[in-house]
Every structure is written in C-alpha cells, then in structure tokens.
C-alpha cells in the first residue's frame, strides 16, 4: 500500500494551503487520528453550514445521521487505514438539520517518518435533482425555445400523458390552449392513424425507448398534413424515465412530392416505352419490306420510325431540361428579332407536320423581342402541340400576336376539351396532368412547367383561361425590346421594370 505523506508548512507551500481553503465546490477538511476535525475550508463551510470555529475540535460524527454515528466514523477511518482510502456515497446532515447526498473520500495522511498524523476528508455534494431555481429556469428556457420552433413540440410525464404543447401546436391545429385541458391530441390526428400512434407510443413508454412515427395531423383549415413525430425519454441518474420530450415536423410537402415523383417515374417509363415498342414493331416490318425489296413500303416504315425517334428525343430533352432548370443551369442565348417573323416561321414549320388542324395567325405586333430563339420556339411549339393534342374533335387553332404598353403577348387558342376549373391553377406545375386519368392522351406533365420557367427567365409571364368542352387559351408575354439610342439610353419602348406574375 502506498502511503501519502504530509508535512504541514514543509512540503506544501502557502499557496497550496490557500487553494484548499478557498475551494468552494468541495468540503475539504482534516481529521486527527482519533476523528477530531482539525481544519475546515470554505467549501466545507458552504456545504455543511458550519463555520471553522464551530467545528474545529469536534468529532466528525456530527455530520452523520443520528444513530450509531461514532461506530460509522470509526469503521470508515479503519477502512481508510486498511485499504489506503475509504469511499462512500450517502446521506449527510447540515447544521440546519437538512440532509444532502454526498460522495465522501477519506484518506490517511502520514508524516515524513511514516507516522499517521490524521485523515483528509473530501466531501462532494451530489445533486440528485436540480434545485428549484434550476428547474424553473431550465423549464422556462425550454418553453421559450419550444415556442420559438416552427415544429410541434410536447412534453409528457413518465406514464406517457402529455404535460404541455408548444405554441406551434395550437397555431397549426387552431385548438384553444384553455379549452384542451386534457391535452389529448387524438381528435386532431387522422382517424386512420390514431390506433397505430397509440400502440407505438404505448410501446415506447413501456420500454423507455425512442418513439418515431409518421401520422396525419389536422390543421385549423381542416386539412390533414403528414407529420414525422419523434420523442425521447429523459432519464434520471439511475436510468428511470422522468419525462418525455417530443416533436413533430410537417413533412407533408416532401411526402407528396415523393409520391408525385413515384407516379412520374411510372408515367415517364410508360411514355418512353410506348415509342420504343412501336419502333421495334416497325423495324421488323421494315426488315420484311426490305427482304421483299419493296422500297415504297420500306420508306413509309422508315418515316414512322423517324417520328417515334423524334418523340423519344422530345421526351428525353424535357427530362434533361427539368434537371437543368433545377440546377439553375439552363443556358440562354439572347438575340433580338421580330416577333411577327418568328411566329410566322414557326407556324410554317409546324403546319408541315400537323395534318389535323389549320393554324391561323391573327394580329401583328410590329416590334422586336430579345430572347433565346430556340427556347422561345420550344415554348410556342409546346403551346401549339398541346392545342392540337387536346382538341381532337376540332380542326383549327388560332395564334394571336399583340403589342401593348411595352409588352408582346402571344396567345394560342384551341376549341378542344378544355380544363376543369378546379385544375386550371395547377397546369403550369411540374408533373401536373389534368387529363391523366380520364383520357388516353399521352404526356409527361412537364411541357408547360418548362415553358413557364423559360418565359420567366426572359422576364415575362404566362397564363391560361379555359372552359371545359369549349377550349383553352394559353398565352405568354415578353417585354418589347428597344435598341438603345445614340446616347446609349433606351428609347420609349424600353423594357418595363415591373414584373408580370
Ligand atoms: P403534357 O401535355 O405532356 O401532359 P403539359 O405540361 O404540356 O404536359 O400540360 C400539362 C397538362 O395541362 C396536360 O396534361 C393537360 O391536362 C393540360 N393541358 C395543357 N394544354 C392543354 C390544352 N390546350 N387543352 C386542355 N388541356 C391542356
């Protein structure tokens, strides 16, 4: 056993003595070989409530619980002598009679000659609980933080009963904090999710393990939103759950967009496979026609294959455009050109492939625009091909070109199936297809989204009006281009700075 040596005033300098005397977090005092208190530091005074003059010369047993205190002190000192130290965590008494939990270490101290000169006693207060002030302060801080968060936050007791909700919960559900004294949320949880939520929560409370579940919560507007709920138990030092803290995050948008993406992948797969299947069939027919050296029929089949390749090419381009738009990397090459010439040329090209409808141009703008010609053609052709695609019973489409107050508007009007009023606001949304389920008309629901993004990148705007079974009118608007004058200042028709939504 290694002995510790202590020579007051010889091996320990004055600074060291002052240090020990002034330590506040620990009660450090010396006992004589018979257990009488011989020194007393500031920490001891603070922890036990006695001043040095009140305890020096008294037996250490005054700090023990009443009962067989002398025997306990003697046993502790004997153990310290035998083992080199004594350690215990237990209850101690303050001067005012109150009890506190402490960790005590007693070590024998020897002089240079190896003679026992006493014992050092270091007592550390162990806080089993926060003080009342601590609790009030930390729960106030928690409440401020919880109310500040945009997510729903709650606390529950060890039995799993809700103690309180934060501000976001009341804001989202529209419930009155005064009204829901029972703090139950089950009436704002979707009826289909209540049972599972209860089961998972009950299991977590019983096992003391983390809680996690997705469930739908009803908003004050009466709509259910998907939430990701999580809770974790707060345990005391001995591992018993004393409280739960939980939070729920609104994941509705993410969940819906995941669903839309899944649906889109299905549609895209189908759309890509259709022309591929047709191409395979026509390639087989072409082979047969070639074997029979029937050149006319071979040419017919080759043209068919060509049109399916164009379709595939368009689909793949749309997919690539979407990815470029998302990354903000859709490059535009601007040039200035007459909008009237542009529309006339584009209609001429389109009319050669559109056999079912006549395209009529009305109006005349007489101005130039500054735009990426190919991208603008993509927008215009998308409007035109939709007008044809969604008006199978009609035989004409009108294109109207106008110029007013610094803006050029190009309108494509058809006399087709129209769009239900409830869906019209969404037609420019990504992946949206108004006629997806009802009709056999193919599409990815990307063309109008891409068109509106392209027009917005030009500082313009898009819009639609429609009536079911009567037809639709789609338009896009661009700022008129006006070349700067000799002084470098733009003329009257300078692009307006206001932005059309
Ligand atoms: P796609 O035509 O490939 O589905 P779009 O983005 O071009 O995709 O159009 C989105 C949806 O808007 C279409 O699915 C269709 O329901 C509707 N739509 C577009 N143009 C018209 C139109 N001229 N008439 C009726 N509905 C249209």
């Amino acid at each position: 056993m290694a002995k510790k040596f202590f020579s007051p005033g010889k091996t320990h300098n004055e600074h060291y003595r002052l240090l020990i005397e002034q330590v506040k977090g620990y009660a450090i005092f010396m006992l004589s070989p018979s257990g009488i208190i011989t020194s007393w530091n500031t920490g001891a005074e603070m922890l036990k409530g006695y001043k040095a003059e009140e305890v020096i010369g008294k037996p250490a047993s005054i700090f023990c619980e009443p009962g067989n205190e002398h025997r306990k002190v003697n046993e502790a000192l004997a153990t310290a002598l035998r083992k080199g130290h004594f350690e215990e965590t237990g209850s101690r008494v303050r001067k005012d009679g109150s009890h506190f939990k402490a960790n005590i270490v007693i070590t024998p101290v020897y002089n240079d000659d190896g003679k026992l000169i006493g014992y050092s006693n270091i007592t550390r207060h162990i806080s089993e609980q926060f003080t009342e002030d601590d609790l009030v302060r930390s729960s106030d801080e928690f409440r401020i933080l919880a109310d500040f968060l945009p997510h729903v936050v709650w606390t529950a007791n060890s039995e799993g009963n809700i103690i309180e909700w934060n501000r976001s919960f009341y804001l989202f559900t529209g419930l009155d904090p005064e009204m829901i004294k029972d703090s139950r949320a089950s009436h704002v949880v979707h009826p289909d999710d209540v049972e599972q939520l209860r089961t998972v929560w009950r299991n977590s409370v019983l096992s003391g393990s983390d809680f996690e579940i997705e469930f739908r919560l009803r908003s004050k507007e009466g709509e259910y939103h998907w939430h990701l709920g999580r809770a974790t138990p707060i345990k005391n030092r001995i591992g018993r759950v004393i409280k739960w803290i939980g939070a729920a995050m609104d994941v509705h948008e993410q969940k819906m967009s995941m669903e839309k993406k899944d649906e889109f992948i299905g549609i895209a797969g189908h759309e890509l496979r259709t022309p591929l299947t047709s191409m395979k069939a026509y390639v087989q027919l072409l082979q047969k026609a070639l074997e029979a050296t029937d050149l006319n029929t071979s040419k017919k089949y080759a043209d068919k294959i060509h049109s399916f390749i164009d379709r595939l090419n368009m689909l793949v381009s749309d997919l690539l455009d979407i990815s470029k738009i998302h990354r903000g990397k859709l490059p535009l090459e601007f040039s200035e050109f007459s909008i009237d010439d542009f529309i006339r040329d584009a209609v001429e090209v389109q009319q050669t492939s559109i056999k079912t409808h006549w395209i009529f141009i009305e109006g005349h703008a007489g101005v130039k625009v500054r735009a990426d010609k190919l991208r603008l053609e993509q927008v215009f052709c998308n409007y035109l091909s939709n007008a044809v695609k969604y008006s199978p019973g009609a035989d004409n489409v009108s294109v109207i070109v106008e110029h007013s107050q610094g803006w050029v508007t190009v309108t494509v009007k058809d006399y087709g199936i129209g769009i239900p009023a409830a869906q019209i606001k969404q037609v420019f949304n990504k992946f949206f297809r108004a006629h997806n389920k009802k009709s056999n008309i193919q599409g990815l629901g990307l063309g109008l989204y891409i068109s509106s993004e392209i027009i917005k990148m030009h500082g313009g705007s898009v819009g639609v009006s429609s009536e079911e079974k009567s037809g639709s009118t789609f338009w896009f608007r661009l700022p008129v281009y006006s070349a700067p004058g000799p002084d470098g200042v733009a003329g009257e028709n300078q692009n307006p700075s206001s932005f059309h939504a």
Side-chain angles (χ1 to χ4, degrees), residues 392-411:
D395 60 7
N396 69 75
V397 170
S398 308
V399 175
I400 303 135
V401 191
E402 294 162 297
H403 158 220
S404 166
Q405 296 181 340
W407 294 92
V408 166
T409 307
V410 176
T411 306

PDB file of all heavy atoms in Angstrom, residues 392-411:
ATOM      1  N   PRO A 392     -59.033  17.031 -80.079  1.00  0.00           N
ATOM      2  CA  PRO A 392     -59.116  16.007 -81.131  1.00  0.00           C
ATOM      3  C   PRO A 392     -60.321  16.184 -82.059  1.00  0.00           C
ATOM      4  O   PRO A 392     -60.277  15.785 -83.219  1.00  0.00           O
ATOM      5  CB  PRO A 392     -59.211  14.694 -80.343  1.00  0.00           C
ATOM      6  CG  PRO A 392     -59.533  15.058 -78.939  1.00  0.00           C
ATOM      7  CD  PRO A 392     -59.131  16.475 -78.727  1.00  0.00           C
ATOM      8  N   GLY A 393     -61.390  16.846 -81.533  1.00  0.00           N
ATOM      9  CA  GLY A 393     -62.588  16.990 -82.373  1.00  0.00           C
ATOM     10  C   GLY A 393     -62.567  18.261 -83.209  1.00  0.00           C
ATOM     11  O   GLY A 393     -63.466  18.464 -84.046  1.00  0.00           O
ATOM     12  N   ALA A 394     -61.583  19.120 -83.037  1.00  0.00           N
ATOM     13  CA  ALA A 394     -61.574  20.411 -83.759  1.00  0.00           C
ATOM     14  C   ALA A 394     -60.619  20.347 -84.948  1.00  0.00           C
ATOM     15  O   ALA A 394     -59.841  19.397 -85.092  1.00  0.00           O
ATOM     16  CB  ALA A 394     -61.141  21.516 -82.806  1.00  0.00           C
ATOM     17  N   ASP A 395     -60.684  21.391 -85.817  1.00  0.00           N
ATOM     18  CA  ASP A 395     -59.770  21.358 -86.961  1.00  0.00           C
ATOM     19  C   ASP A 395     -59.004  22.656 -87.141  1.00  0.00           C
ATOM     20  O   ASP A 395     -58.342  22.863 -88.137  1.00  0.00           O
ATOM     21  CB  ASP A 395     -60.522  20.981 -88.252  1.00  0.00           C
ATOM     22  CG  ASP A 395     -61.624  21.986 -88.573  1.00  0.00           C
ATOM     23  OD1 ASP A 395     -61.696  23.027 -87.872  1.00  0.00           O
ATOM     24  OD2 ASP A 395     -62.390  21.726 -89.508  1.00  0.00           O
ATOM     25  N   ASN A 396     -59.114  23.551 -86.156  1.00  0.00           N
ATOM     26  CA  ASN A 396     -58.247  24.716 -86.268  1.00  0.00           C
ATOM     27  C   ASN A 396     -57.790  25.254 -84.911  1.00  0.00           C
ATOM     28  O   ASN A 396     -58.396  24.991 -83.880  1.00  0.00           O
ATOM     29  CB  ASN A 396     -58.878  25.807 -87.134  1.00  0.00           C
ATOM     30  CG  ASN A 396     -60.068  26.441 -86.468  1.00  0.00           C
ATOM     31  OD1 ASN A 396     -59.913  27.221 -85.556  1.00  0.00           O
ATOM     32  ND2 ASN A 396     -61.267  26.058 -86.933  1.00  0.00           N
ATOM     33  N   VAL A 397     -56.699  26.008 -84.990  1.00  0.00           N
ATOM     34  CA  VAL A 397     -56.081  26.624 -83.804  1.00  0.00           C
ATOM     35  C   VAL A 397     -55.742  28.055 -84.190  1.00  0.00           C
ATOM     36  O   VAL A 397     -55.290  28.294 -85.314  1.00  0.00           O
ATOM     37  CB  VAL A 397     -54.780  25.863 -83.434  1.00  0.00           C
ATOM     38  CG1 VAL A 397     -53.990  26.622 -82.374  1.00  0.00           C
ATOM     39  CG2 VAL A 397     -55.077  24.442 -82.961  1.00  0.00           C
ATOM     40  N   SER A 398     -56.013  29.018 -83.286  1.00  0.00           N
ATOM     41  CA  SER A 398     -55.682  30.412 -83.602  1.00  0.00           C
ATOM     42  C   SER A 398     -54.465  30.871 -82.809  1.00  0.00           C
ATOM     43  O   SER A 398     -54.316  30.531 -81.635  1.00  0.00           O
ATOM     44  CB  SER A 398     -56.844  31.340 -83.214  1.00  0.00           C
ATOM     45  OG  SER A 398     -58.034  30.883 -83.782  1.00  0.00           O
ATOM     46  N   VAL A 399     -53.638  31.656 -83.499  1.00  0.00           N
ATOM     47  CA  VAL A 399     -52.481  32.270 -82.834  1.00  0.00           C
ATOM     48  C   VAL A 399     -52.655  33.776 -82.937  1.00  0.00           C
ATOM     49  O   VAL A 399     -52.866  34.305 -84.041  1.00  0.00           O
ATOM     50  CB  VAL A 399     -51.157  31.844 -83.518  1.00  0.00           C
ATOM     51  CG1 VAL A 399     -49.980  32.577 -82.893  1.00  0.00           C
ATOM     52  CG2 VAL A 399     -50.971  30.342 -83.428  1.00  0.00           C
ATOM     53  N   ILE A 400     -52.658  34.463 -81.816  1.00  0.00           N
ATOM     54  CA  ILE A 400     -52.874  35.926 -81.830  1.00  0.00           C
ATOM     55  C   ILE A 400     -51.608  36.619 -81.297  1.00  0.00           C
ATOM     56  O   ILE A 400     -51.105  36.237 -80.235  1.00  0.00           O
ATOM     57  CB  ILE A 400     -54.092  36.314 -80.942  1.00  0.00           C
ATOM     58  CG1 ILE A 400     -55.335  35.546 -81.440  1.00  0.00           C
ATOM     59  CG2 ILE A 400     -54.361  37.817 -80.966  1.00  0.00           C
ATOM     60  CD1 ILE A 400     -56.151  34.945 -80.357  1.00  0.00           C
ATOM     61  N   VAL A 401     -51.114  37.587 -82.061  1.00  0.00           N
ATOM     62  CA  VAL A 401     -49.915  38.327 -81.639  1.00  0.00           C
ATOM     63  C   VAL A 401     -50.323  39.776 -81.389  1.00  0.00           C
ATOM     64  O   VAL A 401     -50.937  40.412 -82.248  1.00  0.00           O
ATOM     65  CB  VAL A 401     -48.815  38.281 -82.735  1.00  0.00           C
ATOM     66  CG1 VAL A 401     -47.491  38.799 -82.190  1.00  0.00           C
ATOM     67  CG2 VAL A 401     -48.642  36.875 -83.266  1.00  0.00           C
ATOM     68  N   GLU A 402     -50.004  40.278 -80.208  1.00  0.00           N
ATOM     69  CA  GLU A 402     -50.387  41.655 -79.866  1.00  0.00           C
ATOM     70  C   GLU A 402     -49.235  42.390 -79.198  1.00  0.00           C
ATOM     71  O   GLU A 402     -48.358  41.749 -78.610  1.00  0.00           O
ATOM     72  CB  GLU A 402     -51.543  41.651 -78.847  1.00  0.00           C
ATOM     73  CG  GLU A 402     -52.845  41.113 -79.353  1.00  0.00           C
ATOM     74  CD  GLU A 402     -53.752  40.748 -78.185  1.00  0.00           C
ATOM     75  OE1 GLU A 402     -53.372  39.848 -77.418  1.00  0.00           O
ATOM     76  OE2 GLU A 402     -54.815  41.369 -78.057  1.00  0.00           O
ATOM     77  N   HIS A 403     -49.305  43.697 -79.207  1.00  0.00           N
ATOM     78  CA  HIS A 403     -48.297  44.516 -78.545  1.00  0.00           C
ATOM     79  C   HIS A 403     -49.016  45.635 -77.803  1.00  0.00           C
ATOM     80  O   HIS A 403     -49.831  46.346 -78.383  1.00  0.00           O
ATOM     81  CB  HIS A 403     -47.328  45.083 -79.627  1.00  0.00           C
ATOM     82  CG  HIS A 403     -46.616  46.300 -79.196  1.00  0.00           C
ATOM     83  ND1 HIS A 403     -46.396  47.365 -80.040  1.00  0.00           N
ATOM     84  CD2 HIS A 403     -46.056  46.635 -78.022  1.00  0.00           C
ATOM     85  CE1 HIS A 403     -45.737  48.309 -79.389  1.00  0.00           C
ATOM     86  NE2 HIS A 403     -45.516  47.886 -78.167  1.00  0.00           N
ATOM     87  N   SER A 404     -48.743  45.780 -76.537  1.00  0.00           N
ATOM     88  CA  SER A 404     -49.386  46.849 -75.779  1.00  0.00           C
ATOM     89  C   SER A 404     -48.507  47.261 -74.601  1.00  0.00           C
ATOM     90  O   SER A 404     -48.030  46.382 -73.850  1.00  0.00           O
ATOM     91  CB  SER A 404     -50.751  46.348 -75.282  1.00  0.00           C
ATOM     92  OG  SER A 404     -51.250  47.197 -74.298  1.00  0.00           O
ATOM     93  N   GLN A 405     -48.282  48.552 -74.473  1.00  0.00           N
ATOM     94  CA  GLN A 405     -47.569  49.151 -73.331  1.00  0.00           C
ATOM     95  C   GLN A 405     -46.258  48.440 -72.984  1.00  0.00           C
ATOM     96  O   GLN A 405     -46.019  48.058 -71.843  1.00  0.00           O
ATOM     97  CB  GLN A 405     -48.478  49.153 -72.111  1.00  0.00           C
ATOM     98  CG  GLN A 405     -49.681  50.025 -72.337  1.00  0.00           C
ATOM     99  CD  GLN A 405     -50.590  50.065 -71.123  1.00  0.00           C
ATOM    100  OE1 GLN A 405     -50.535  49.187 -70.277  1.00  0.00           O
ATOM    101  NE2 GLN A 405     -51.436  51.066 -71.078  1.00  0.00           N
ATOM    102  N   GLY A 406     -45.473  48.224 -74.013  1.00  0.00           N
ATOM    103  CA  GLY A 406     -44.145  47.652 -73.771  1.00  0.00           C
ATOM    104  C   GLY A 406     -44.102  46.140 -73.663  1.00  0.00           C
ATOM    105  O   GLY A 406     -43.058  45.573 -73.337  1.00  0.00           O
ATOM    106  N   TRP A 407     -45.230  45.497 -73.903  1.00  0.00           N
ATOM    107  CA  TRP A 407     -45.266  44.031 -73.801  1.00  0.00           C
ATOM    108  C   TRP A 407     -45.819  43.413 -75.075  1.00  0.00           C
ATOM    109  O   TRP A 407     -46.749  43.951 -75.677  1.00  0.00           O
ATOM    110  CB  TRP A 407     -46.168  43.589 -72.636  1.00  0.00           C
ATOM    111  CG  TRP A 407     -45.630  43.981 -71.302  1.00  0.00           C
ATOM    112  CD1 TRP A 407     -45.902  45.132 -70.621  1.00  0.00           C
ATOM    113  CD2 TRP A 407     -44.709  43.237 -70.505  1.00  0.00           C
ATOM    114  NE1 TRP A 407     -45.212  45.157 -69.441  1.00  0.00           N
ATOM    115  CE2 TRP A 407     -44.473  44.004 -69.343  1.00  0.00           C
ATOM    116  CE3 TRP A 407     -44.061  42.018 -70.653  1.00  0.00           C
ATOM    117  CZ2 TRP A 407     -43.610  43.582 -68.335  1.00  0.00           C
ATOM    118  CZ3 TRP A 407     -43.209  41.594 -69.639  1.00  0.00           C
ATOM    119  CH2 TRP A 407     -42.985  42.369 -68.505  1.00  0.00           C
ATOM    120  N   VAL A 408     -45.268  42.259 -75.457  1.00  0.00           N
ATOM    121  CA  VAL A 408     -45.795  41.481 -76.576  1.00  0.00           C
ATOM    122  C   VAL A 408     -46.507  40.273 -75.986  1.00  0.00           C
ATOM    123  O   VAL A 408     -45.945  39.604 -75.106  1.00  0.00           O
ATOM    124  CB  VAL A 408     -44.644  40.983 -77.477  1.00  0.00           C
ATOM    125  CG1 VAL A 408     -45.135  39.905 -78.419  1.00  0.00           C
ATOM    126  CG2 VAL A 408     -44.048  42.121 -78.257  1.00  0.00           C
ATOM    127  N   THR A 409     -47.723  40.021 -76.448  1.00  0.00           N
ATOM    128  CA  THR A 409     -48.438  38.830 -75.960  1.00  0.00           C
ATOM    129  C   THR A 409     -48.714  37.900 -77.138  1.00  0.00           C
ATOM    130  O   THR A 409     -49.232  38.340 -78.172  1.00  0.00           O
ATOM    131  CB  THR A 409     -49.776  39.224 -75.299  1.00  0.00           C
ATOM    132  OG1 THR A 409     -49.504  40.214 -74.318  1.00  0.00           O
ATOM    133  CG2 THR A 409     -50.446  38.026 -74.639  1.00  0.00           C
ATOM    134  N   VAL A 410     -48.353  36.635 -76.982  1.00  0.00           N
ATOM    135  CA  VAL A 410     -48.651  35.613 -77.998  1.00  0.00           C
ATOM    136  C   VAL A 410     -49.651  34.649 -77.373  1.00  0.00           C
ATOM    137  O   VAL A 410     -49.397  34.075 -76.302  1.00  0.00           O
ATOM    138  CB  VAL A 410     -47.367  34.862 -78.428  1.00  0.00           C
ATOM    139  CG1 VAL A 410     -47.719  33.740 -79.413  1.00  0.00           C
ATOM    140  CG2 VAL A 410     -46.353  35.824 -79.040  1.00  0.00           C
ATOM    141  N   THR A 411     -50.804  34.504 -78.030  1.00  0.00           N
ATOM    142  CA  THR A 411     -51.880  33.665 -77.485  1.00  0.00           C
ATOM    143  C   THR A 411     -52.151  32.506 -78.433  1.00  0.00           C
ATOM    144  O   THR A 411     -52.212  32.698 -79.655  1.00  0.00           O
ATOM    145  CB  THR A 411     -53.172  34.508 -77.329  1.00  0.00           C
ATOM    146  OG1 THR A 411     -52.849  35.658 -76.555  1.00  0.00           O
ATOM    147  CG2 THR A 411     -54.286  33.723 -76.664  1.00  0.00           C
TER     148      THR A 411
END
